[in-house]
Amino acid sequence: MNNSIKYHLANLIFCPATKTIAKPDGSIVKLRPQRANILALFIEYKGQLVTSEILHSRIWKNRKVEDKTVQAALTKLRTSLGWRAGENLINERSEGYRLVCEVIEVNEPTDTQAVAPQELVDKTVKKGGITKSVYAAVLAVIAVAFITMQYFAFSANPPDTVREFSTKPITYIKGQELKPSLSPNGKYLAFTHAKNKTLQYQVKVKLSSNNKFLSVDDASFSSSASWSANGSTLYYQAFGNEECLVKKVQLIEEMMFSKPEVITSCGKEKSESPLAVDKNNEWLYFSYKTAPNKAMHIKRINLITGKEQQLTSPTEDAYGDYSLSLSPDGKTLAILTFDASAIGRVYTMDLQTKEQILAFSYKHLLYNVDWAKHGKSFFYIDQDAYIVQFNLDSKVKTQITQLSQSSQTIQVIENGNFLVGFGEFYISDLYKRRLGTYKTVQLQESHFNDHSITPISVAPEQYAFVSNRSGLQQIWLYDNGSLKQLTDYKNQLLIKELNLSGDNTSLVYLTNSTVNVLDLSESIFKKVTTNETHFRSPIWHCNNETILATTKVNDVWSLAEIIPSTGTVDILLKGVTSIKADCKNDKYYVAQEEKFGVFLLTNLLDNIQDTPILADYYFGSGRQWLVENNVAYFVDQRVLYSMNLTTRTKPEKHMANVNMVGFNVASSNIYFSEKVLNDSYIAQITAKGSKK
């Protein structure tokens, strides 16, 4: 570190040469040498994670000290700086610590610069934007060569010139914070918050000038806040008594709102879909879902007359039209839809003619898009954490900047100024639980996303799983204490739905929607089907020679048999959305399109039993259920059940309040991965030199 340079840190100035801190009130605090060295270390790492090992090495010179000693030193440093726990210097899930405020070098400091932090505080709220100060500096690493953009390709063009962007956290509540909505005057920020892994979201509102916040509704679940054009009304969704409701509250005076008022119903399921209101406060747009086996569609309600109109009618049995964004002139909707093939599409709808035009397709989970203020393009965050601009006239995608970590929702404030839900949406870990007991064992403890666990052997313990621990998603093998990477994909792919052959020698799985096979003994993996055909729910036939999966035929989900050596696909039955095999009893079970329950497949070629099993439940995804030795296991509303198919007794509850990402059963053990919410925050992403 250059001791001749001073550093802006949030609302402070740190001078390494004198080990002093200048505070906003003009007072000077002398730091003890150890605390000054710790602060200098965090400045050196520029927002990167500083692990306990680094602290032990650099500060304590590898002397043996307890973790509580390190924690105490960090607490004392925060106290000296006047920072609260979780503010600016944060603890990241026992992995280490990170400085999340911006670090600005001040060359040749003057007397006026010594009190500059007060100016930053005074300018917190500005017309048309938020504060000019920014916290964690992130330099976008952007490719300088142009990439030819095809209409349906995912890749985006890099910008003509490199621009520097900065990142500043503006929410500080522990938990997950996303879906920002800034009031038109920039005074209030509404956002969605969840403080734990139970997905009980709450709409919060905070003053932009400080961290004072409040909840706008007492409902156990609320989400997707959106301000009216004049900033006097906040619209949002809430769920209670088995119904989704669109509500509003009126801003009465500073940080005081009226009681919630119900506007209309948004269906029978919890919704996190965005709302949109036109500039005249006349039409409100929202997504609606009538039942678990129905797709989401877009509706609007006239806020003056109460008249409702249905705008879209998707026929898919998956997500449907789950996200929307209204153009600034109120004439065009951008709509995001996911079909049952896990293929997403963004299209625009002319609200006068109802004409729909496809913008582009995608295979990752895209949460929302937001329009540029001129209405000729919109922005979104892609799977590689780039903010991307899509031009509606040229159909060209341009990468604006790459964020330092995966982020989700985005709001455009103005050119070069965005608010994002900053951080991974979920993390997932691997677990094993003995059925009939309450003991759950965590199998892999890491900060990576580990999922799709598939047991191979119990003694010695072997299982395959998917992890991004090498940078990209790959399949890994745990073998009695050791880890081995089995695949070596060079591009970002979504690997999912691992299923083991009956002889325990091969895995079948999906990369995006393509069927692949992995020979476990040789670690040889190959693509079986082409990218043009989309599959899901692949399993091995009980003969271990062919693969059964579902695929679309003339827009109808159908059961297919695939020969791995040639990729030949033979269509067996139409109307089948997923299939499971109980090879111990030589039985197959299927779920059917838009039907509740699962059905016994009495003959693999043509006969499906008429009477459903588990007729009270809907199984839209093959990851929700399986059958093993005449017992059906399934997940419904975050609860794991089992039911004996011989006796047809009432389903038995095993685990509650668990967000499973696929599961398998072996030797009376259930192996599963659980998604939990990742701590995240709302951040302002600003192009340096742009208007705030």
Side-chain angles (χ1 to χ4, degrees):
M1 173 178 287
N2 188 342
N3 284 349
S4 65
I5 297 177
K6 294 183 179 180
Y7 300 88
H8 279 309
L9 306 168
N11 60 342
L12 307 173
I13 292 180
F14 173 52
C15 177
T18 61
K19 297 180 174 57
T20 56
I21 290 290
K23 293 195 171 184
D25 59 5
S27 63
I28 303 297
V29 175
K30 177 78 172 181
L31 296 180
R32 292 187 177 184
Q34 185 186 75
R35 296 175 200 174
N37 291 339
I38 293 174
L39 184 57
L41 179 63
F42 280 105
I43 292 172
E44 177 186 337
Y45 271 72
K46 297 179 180 178
Q48 300 178 56
L49 184 71
V50 178
T51 65
S52 297
E53 290 77 11
I54 294 173
L55 285 165
H56 279 279
S57 173
R58 296 286 298 276
I59 305 301
W60 283 272
K61 307 303 181 184
N62 288 321
R63 297 193 306 273
K64 186 175 181 179
V65 294
E66 295 181 356
D67 288 341
K68 64 181 181 181
T69 302
V70 178
Q71 294 169 3
L74 270 293
T75 298
K76 291 176 181 177
L77 174 60
R78 289 194 190 97
T79 301
S80 298
L81 300 177
W83 294 347
R84 296 185 298 272
E87 179 183 19
N88 300 325
L89 183 58
I90 62 174
N91 185 343
E92 293 202 356
R93 293 178 58 85
S94 302
E95 296 295 331
Y97 300 85
R98 191 190 304 269
L99 187 67
V100 295
C101 63
E102 185 188 26
V103 178
I104 303 175
E105 293 185 359
V106 183
N107 294 296
E108 299 179 354
T110 65
D111 291 341
T112 57
Q113 287 174 315
V115 294
Q118 184 60 51
E119 298 175 14
L120 301 180
V121 174
D122 292 340
K123 295 181 179 180
T124 300
V125 180
K126 298 183 65 178
K127 184 177 180 180
I130 305 180
T131 174
K132 190 176 180 180
S133 68
V134 280
Y135 284 83
V138 178
L139 297 179
V141 182
I142 304 175
V144 294
F146 280 102
I147 301 173
T148 303
M149 167 75 187
Q150 296 184 4
Y151 185 81
F152 292 109
F154 175 76
S155 58
N157 290 338
D160 295 331
T161 58
V162 175
R163 300 180 70 187
E164 293 185 357
F165 282 74
S166 59
T167 302
K168 170 194 140 182
I170 57 175
T171 59
Y172 310 96
I173 311 173
K174 182 173 178 56
Q176 187 176 96
E177 299 154 36
L178 68 161
K179 299 182 181 177
S181 180
L182 186 68
S183 63
N185 63 2
K187 187 174 182 178
Y188 297 100
L189 176 68
F191 60 96
T192 302
H193 171 255
K195 63 181 179 181
N196 54 41
K197 66 180 183 180
T198 61
L199 291 170
Q200 294 302 313
Y201 287 122
Q202 294 285 315
V203 171
K204 307 283 189 184
V205 177
K206 74 178 288 286
L207 281 170
S208 299
S209 57
N210 59 38
N211 203 36
K212 180 182 179 182
F213 65 90
L214 55 80
S215 298
V216 299
D217 199 304
D218 293 333
S220 60
F221 182 97
S222 57
S223 178
S224 307
S226 180
W227 291 96
S228 61
N230 61 10
S232 65
T233 307
L234 184 68
Y235 299 93
Y236 62 96
Q237 294 170 123
F239 187 83
N241 297 322
E242 304 302 319
E243 186 171 15
C244 174
L245 299 171
V246 178
K247 296 184 177 183
K248 70 176 182 180
V249 290
Q250 302 286 344
L251 181 62
I252 299 173
E253 55 184 81
E254 183 170 287
M255 291 299 283
M256 182 178 293
F257 291 88
S258 65
K259 291 183 178 181
E261 178 183 342
V262 175
I263 298 173
T264 188
S265 170
C266 42
K268 297 298 181 181
E269 293 196 344
K270 292 178 181 178
S271 177
E272 301 165 40
S273 301
L275 303 176
V277 187
D278 66 15
K279 61 183 179 181
N280 298 320
N281 209 37
E282 182 178 3
W283 288 101
L284 183 145
Y285 298 82
F286 59 99
S287 294
Y288 190 95
K289 188 175 179 69
T290 57
N293 60 334
K294 300 297 182 182
M296 299 186 79
H297 55 265
I298 304 299
K299 297 178 72 172
R300 69 175 179 177
I301 182 171
N302 189 292
L303 296 172
I304 300 172
T305 66
K307 179 182 178 181
E308 292 193 17
Q309 297 177 352
Q310 182 171 325
L311 299 177
T312 67
S313 301
T315 58
E316 301 291 349
D317 63 337
Y319 266 60
D321 300 331
Y322 68 92
S323 185
L324 59 87
S325 182
L326 184 65
S327 62
D329 60 8
K331 296 180 179 180
T332 307
L333 269 184
I335 300 174
L336 281 65
T337 186
F338 247 125
D339 67 19
S341 307
I343 302 299
R345 296 177 178 86
V346 180
Y347 61 94
T348 57
M349 172 183 282
D350 186 308
L351 290 171
Q352 286 187 324
T353 66
K354 304 303 186 290
E355 179 185 10
Q356 299 178 15
I357 299 175
L358 179 67
F360 60 88
S361 301
Y362 53 92
K363 294 184 178 180
H364 63 292
L365 182 55
L366 183 61
Y367 288 89
N368 79 306
V369 302
D370 199 34
W371 290 82
K373 297 306 177 184
H374 52 61
K376 297 178 181 179
S377 61
F378 49 72
F379 295 83
Y380 64 94
I381 300 173
D382 71 8
Q383 64 181 359
D384 297 316
Y386 277 99
I387 294 179
V388 178
Q389 183 175 14
F390 179 79
N391 186 290
L392 288 168
D393 294 329
S394 65
K395 308 297 182 185
V396 170
K397 301 173 185 176
T398 302
Q399 293 173 341
I400 304 302
T401 184
Q402 187 174 30
L403 305 174
S404 60
Q405 56 182 306
S406 296
S407 300
Q408 317 307 328
T409 50
I410 184 170
Q411 182 189 12
V412 179
I413 305 304
E414 54 190 4
N415 185 35
N417 194 351
F418 311 92
L419 296 182
V420 303
F422 200 75
E424 291 276 3
F425 193 84
Y426 286 110
I427 58 173
S428 56
D429 290 311
L430 307 179
Y431 298 90
K432 177 176 70 173
R433 182 184 178 113
R434 186 78 176 176
L435 290 170
T437 72
Y438 294 96
K439 184 178 181 180
T440 299
V441 177
Q442 186 170 359
L443 298 175
Q444 293 289 325
E445 190 171 2
S446 73
H447 62 274
F448 301 103
N449 282 319
D450 300 335
H451 61 89
S452 302
I453 183 170
T454 303
I456 299 171
S457 170
V458 176
E461 187 162 56
Q462 291 180 318
Y463 53 82
F465 63 99
V466 179
S467 177
N468 63 348
R469 59 188 60 214
S470 60
L472 298 173
Q473 284 199 16
Q474 307 287 352
I475 298 177
W476 290 74
L477 175 68
Y478 174 89
D479 186 3
N480 201 30
S482 65
L483 280 176
K484 178 183 179 182
Q485 183 177 320
L486 299 180
T487 59
D488 188 26
Y489 290 107
K490 305 300 182 183
N491 300 314
Q492 187 70 259
L493 294 169
L494 179 60
I495 304 176
K496 57 186 179 181
E497 298 198 53
L498 276 62
N499 279 286
L500 184 68
S501 60
D503 57 9
N504 293 6
T505 62
S506 301
L507 287 172
V508 61
Y509 59 97
L510 297 179
T511 53
N512 296 331
S513 298
T514 302
V515 177
N516 302 259
V517 168
L518 168 64
D519 185 312
L520 290 170
S521 61
E522 302 293 335
S523 297
I524 298 174
F525 56 99
K526 68 174 183 178
K527 183 188 296 185
V528 174
T529 60
T530 64
N531 291 331
E532 288 74 25
T533 306
H534 304 294
F535 291 88
R536 69 181 187 185
S537 187
I539 65 168
W540 284 100
H541 192 293
C542 291
N543 63 17
N544 299 316
E545 295 176 357
T546 61
I547 296 167
L548 300 171
T550 56
T551 186
K552 276 291 187 67
V553 178
N554 296 326
D555 218 27
V556 176
W557 279 104
S558 303
L559 177 63
E561 187 171 23
I562 306 165
I563 300 175
S565 58
T566 63
T568 303
V569 179
D570 183 21
I571 303 301
L572 304 180
L573 287 168
K574 290 189 176 181
V576 175
T577 57
S578 60
I579 182 169
K580 299 294 179 179
D582 181 7
C583 290
K584 292 180 180 179
N585 295 283
D586 197 27
K587 293 179 180 179
Y588 297 89
Y589 298 84
V590 298
Q592 296 191 74
E593 206 158 19
E594 295 192 1
K595 291 185 179 181
F596 280 71
V598 297
F599 300 80
L600 177 65
L601 192 60
T602 55
N603 184 308
L604 195 55
L605 293 177
D606 51 21
N607 294 325
I608 298 178
Q609 194 175 71
D610 292 335
T611 305
I613 304 165
L614 301 170
D616 294 332
Y617 303 91
Y618 179 69
F619 300 102
S621 168
R623 289 177 290 179
Q624 292 176 257
W625 66 284
L626 58 84
V627 180
E628 176 73 17
N629 199 20
N630 278 328
V631 178
Y633 300 88
F634 63 97
V635 175
D636 181 69
Q637 298 294 319
R638 297 169 61 87
V639 178
L640 173 69
Y641 297 91
S642 70
M643 189 181 86
N644 189 303
L645 298 183
T646 303
T647 61
R648 301 290 180 92
T649 55
K650 182 180 179 180
E652 179 184 354
K653 183 186 295 186
H654 293 283
M655 299 173 63
N657 198 28
V658 56
N659 193 15
M660 287 189 176
V661 195
F663 61 94
N664 280 283
V665 175
S667 300
S668 298
N669 289 304
I670 181 163
Y671 293 79
F672 64 96
S673 49
E674 181 183 9
K675 290 196 302 186
V676 297
L677 293 179
N678 187 37
D679 284 354
S680 60
Y681 53 89
I682 306 298
Q684 183 180 7
I685 312 297
T686 307
K688 292 186 177 180
S690 69
K691 180 182 177 182
K692 304 272 182 41

